[in-house]
Amino acid sequence: RFGASLPVAQLIDASVIAVWLSAALVMVFGTIALTRSPRVGPKDAAFGALTVAFPNTGFMGVPMLAALLGPAAAGPVITTVLIDLLVTSSLAIALAQMGDRGQLGPGASALRSIRGALSNPLPWSIGAGMVSSATGLHTIGPADTIVRMLADSATPVALFTIGTVLWRAGQQVHTRTPIELYLPLALIKLLVHPLLVLVLGWTAIRLFGAPLSTFSLTVLVLAAALPSANTVSLLAERYGADNGRVTRAVVLSTALAFVTFSLLAWLADFLPR
């Protein structure tokens, strides 16, 4: 449903894509390098990296930033959503699958990573929607009603899943996650990610003359300052990662964002549009 409503031709902004994608790659590989330890295996490190690189732009960012900055903010935000769904999440899943279940040879690792990326349902679903948008072929009648009902259920199902995971983690001693394993993820998401996007965007403008407007850069920085997407919790559950760690990072980043995002949005109000 989301992909079918996208104005595909309006989302091809090379500067926005380059800045956001570069930041996502740095966040994923940098977080894996920083958090990998005897207590955090390759799969958990990969999903921790996705937690800090994938903001809650789909459920929170699009309506919030459009309300804060005007309808023009929807274009850059939707572009970031596409990159995170099609590239960032697929990359993290591929890395998680590559390091799963012991040491594998190069061929088996490559096959596992490709399989992990292709088994991610998010890119396939949004890609099908984009084909619908580009061709003008849409679901009608009962099929369209079913798609809309399932789409409307995404947010409450995700929230219910997060609550269930937290309850389960609290009931089972061996799933309790020390705060030092998820607090850094929340702080990296809320502080490092927007700062990195700001630095990359400013560098692209100053050093390379990228046609990136101050408005678009402001939108990207605020999008990066959003808390972690609850979609990551669903993916961690699906692929058997330490979902207690991921879910706690998502919830903590959401709580802290009431302060950090509000402050950054207030500062952004002084920038030229």
Side-chain angles (χ1 to χ4, degrees), residues 226-245:
L226 291 166
S228 303
N230 46 25
T231 306
V232 184
S233 178
L234 302 180
L235 291 175
E237 180 81 6
R238 175 185 175 90
Y239 290 98
D242 184 356
N243 201 16
R245 175 174 177 255

Side-chain angles (χ1 to χ4, degrees), residues 168-186:
R168 184 177 60 192
Q171 296 297 311
Q172 301 175 1
V173 175
H174 67 276
T175 61
R176 292 177 182 172
T177 306
I179 190 172
E180 62 269 18
L181 293 185
Y182 62 88
L183 175 60
L185 298 180

Side-chain angles (χ1 to χ4, degrees), residues 48-66:
L50 184 59
T51 303
V52 305
F54 195 168
N56 195 353
T57 42
F59 295 146
M60 185 182 295
V62 174
M64 181 182 294
L65 294 180

